[in-house]
Amino acid sequence: MTATGTPAPAPGSAPAHRDSTTDAAPREVTRASLVAVWAGRVLVPLTAALVVATRLTRPWWERQGLDETGYPAHWLPNVTFALLLAVGILAPWLCGLVASPWAARRDGAEMVVTSVTGRRRFTVASCRVVDFRVLSTPSTSHGAVVVGPRGGVVVLLAGLPHGGRRRITALLGDQPRDGLGRAVREHLLGLALLLLTVAVVFGVLGLGSWAVGGVL
């Protein structure tokens, strides 16, 4: 029994659920995250338009030849290649699977996530949350996979700065960070996500190169 009259947790018992930090959770998304979301909504149609333009104007820019590095001398195919590379790297974010923690907020018991594909709600108490780490020190996590009771999934992925871990904790609450097994699982999950991103990048570049005639 604690000094406030509430029962003390039993030794070795599980910590309070992540939802215990609701009062201190972020209530607003940041302006920078909203700008990034809208940029993502523009990136896909812009890239598609440039792929079509590159394919249709191929005889024109091919006549300008290649530069000393072996790439087309004209800017159009080079810009298209750069945008395809960006789409490949950002594909999980562009399809709404991944969102920034700064694009998420708490609305009572729910976490509201603003992604490129729209706004989604997750009741935190009903979600399963699995943290992961990508290219980080053993004490730092950079993301969390949130799985809703109806199968909805969102990956909160912060950048390499450590502030992302604090934002995710504020949104979802905390859970024990110790344990070698947990650390190994988090690193393996982060590695799997990283390898998946690399595979998607090559897939998008290959598809884009085929679409413009196999010259990128």
Side-chain angles (χ1 to χ4, degrees):
M1 185 76 69
T2 65
T4 59
T6 58
S13 62
H17 193 274
R18 283 178 173 267
D19 203 27
S20 61
T21 59
T22 302
D23 292 341
R27 303 294 179 181
E28 301 292 338
V29 301
T30 64
R31 182 174 300 179
S33 67
L34 289 178
V35 171
V37 165
W38 279 104
R41 292 171 180 174
V42 172
L43 178 61
V44 173
L46 176 61
T47 303
L50 282 181
V51 167
V52 172
T54 303
R55 180 61 180 260
L56 294 178
T57 61
R58 180 179 176 181
W60 171 61
W61 53 260
E62 275 190 334
R63 285 197 295 267
Q64 301 189 27
L66 304 177
D67 60 19
E68 61 276 5
T69 63
Y71 287 95
H74 196 270
W75 63 267
L76 180 58
N78 294 317
V79 171
T80 301
F81 175 83
L83 290 182
L84 284 169
L85 181 61
V87 168
I89 294 173
L90 300 174
W93 178 63
L94 295 173
C95 71
L97 176 62
V98 174
S100 166
W102 287 274
R105 62 181 178 86
R106 283 296 291 266
D107 182 11
E110 293 185 322
M111 178 180 67
V112 183
V113 181
T114 302
S115 68
V116 173
T117 57
R119 189 174 297 172
R120 303 164 65 190
R121 289 180 173 268
F122 293 83
T123 302
V124 174
S126 303
C127 290
R128 176 175 175 81
V129 180
V130 182
D131 292 324
F132 64 89
R133 316 177 188 194
V134 180
L135 300 178
S136 62
T137 62
S139 61
T140 305
S141 290
H142 296 294
V145 180
V146 183
V147 183
R150 298 180 180 179
V153 179
V154 68
V155 179
L156 296 179
L157 177 59
L160 293 180
H162 292 201
R165 177 67 258 162
R166 293 191 295 270
R167 177 80 177 193
I168 293 172
T169 299
L171 286 165
L172 297 169
D174 204 1
Q175 71 174 27
R177 311 299 309 156
D178 55 348
L180 178 60
R182 180 182 299 276
V184 170
R185 287 194 301 271
E186 290 178 5
H187 280 289
L188 289 176
L189 178 57
L191 178 61
L193 293 173
L194 182 61
L195 293 177
L196 177 61
T197 299
V198 172
V200 170
V201 168
F202 281 103
V204 170
L205 289 177
L207 181 61
S209 180
W210 170 82
V212 300
V215 295
L216 296 182

